[in-house]
Amino acid sequence: MLVKACDFDAGTAAYSDANSTDIPFVRFVAENISALEFKYLDEVLHTIYQISSVIASSGLNLYQQIETDATHEASAGDDAQGAQWQQATRASVCIGILFVLREFLKSHYGVSESRCTSYNPGEAAGARDKAAAWHAQDDGGRIDWGPCPYALQRMESTADCIAQRQRFRRMMAESLAASEESPVLAANAAADRFAPDAPGDELLNAEDLEMLSVDDLEEAG
């Protein structure tokens, strides 16, 4: 469900179920994932792998759309800021939530970026048997939404939306700059392929959250 909620079709600028409730829902799912007590390192790495895949596909498509929009905004003004423009902006917040969740999991489970990018779910036998170790931080085990403020706040003005789009562009630009070190991002950037309805893309739905467990997450991934 987290994957579908963050799906973005750059061809039509259509954000699935784009409305004001999407951002709170994606944040809700992210916070529940962050609260899981992972038992094995493979569970952490697989979750990060799934998040990275969404960023490298839906996030990349959205980034390309927003970059295209940026070339027209200066001259078109408010004419370029219609419903699709607003939908894309909300979608960028959802992708930003994934960025924050990914960094949270890396930090609290002591997983390096190189370990994440080299992870292959089909060749992770060693990680399946290794216990996950929780690293306490000053955040009290709760996600700090500072890097993605509109995960909590409504975008009340055009200036808020523009600030969010600029923030998202920086996030994606940094990820693209590191694409040579990230097989997931590099492969998707080169091939620009993504099948949101493919088996295994669904992570969680609303009913699953009532009985959320590590096993549920692993099976859904």
Side-chain angles (χ1 to χ4, degrees):
M1 191 66 183
L2 185 60
V3 171
K4 288 187 175 180
C6 294
D7 181 28
F8 181 83
D9 185 344
T12 62
Y15 174 51
S16 59
D17 299 322
N19 55 59
S20 61
T21 63
D22 282 334
I23 293 172
F25 176 72
V26 173
R27 187 189 71 239
F28 171 73
V29 175
E31 288 176 340
N32 275 274
I33 291 174
S34 75
L36 288 172
E37 296 182 3
F38 293 97
K39 295 180 180 180
Y40 299 102
L41 180 61
D42 180 68
E43 295 167 342
V44 180
L45 291 171
H46 189 75
T47 303
I48 293 173
Y49 178 86
Q50 290 284 331
I51 294 169
S52 299
S53 295
V54 177
I55 293 173
S57 51
S58 294
L60 181 60
N61 289 339
L62 179 59
Y63 175 69
Q64 292 170 339
Q65 179 63 47
I66 288 180
E67 284 292 288
T68 299
D69 290 346
T71 64
H72 303 293
E73 287 168 6
S75 58
D78 292 340
D79 291 338
Q81 299 167 6
Q84 292 181 347
W85 187 88
Q86 295 174 8
Q87 289 168 5
T89 305
R90 286 195 292 270
S92 75
V93 176
C94 294
I95 298 297
I97 288 172
L98 297 187
F99 271 108
V100 174
L101 175 59
R102 186 179 188 276
E103 291 306 309
F104 176 90
L105 294 175
K106 285 171 53 184
S107 174
H108 280 277
Y109 287 95
V111 180
S112 67
E113 181 64 23
S114 61
R115 185 67 183 274
C116 293
T117 57
S118 64
Y119 175 77
N120 184 333
E123 302 176 356
R128 292 192 181 98
D129 299 327
K130 186 174 181 180
W134 175 263
H135 297 259
Q137 307 286 340
D138 294 337
D139 57 17
R142 298 177 63 87
I143 292 180
D144 175 12
W145 294 112
C148 187
Y150 295 113
L152 295 174
Q153 307 169 19
R154 290 181 61 87
M155 291 176 284
E156 302 287 354
S157 66
T158 299
D160 290 342
C161 292
I162 291 174
Q164 166 56 31
R165 290 165 79 91
Q166 292 173 341
R167 182 179 292 106
F168 172 75
R169 290 169 66 192
R170 287 195 299 269
M171 284 182 173
M172 286 301 304
E174 291 174 1
S175 291
L176 288 170
S179 63
E180 291 183 0
E181 301 176 7
S182 174
V184 172
L185 185 56
N188 282 276
D192 193 22
R193 60 182 182 271
F194 182 53
D197 295 326
D201 279 344
E202 300 83 1
L203 287 182
L204 299 171
N205 56 40
E207 294 180 357
D208 291 335
L209 292 173
E210 296 179 3
M211 301 180 65
L212 200 61
S213 69
V214 171
D215 289 337
D216 291 333
L217 180 62
E218 186 174 20
E219 291 174 5

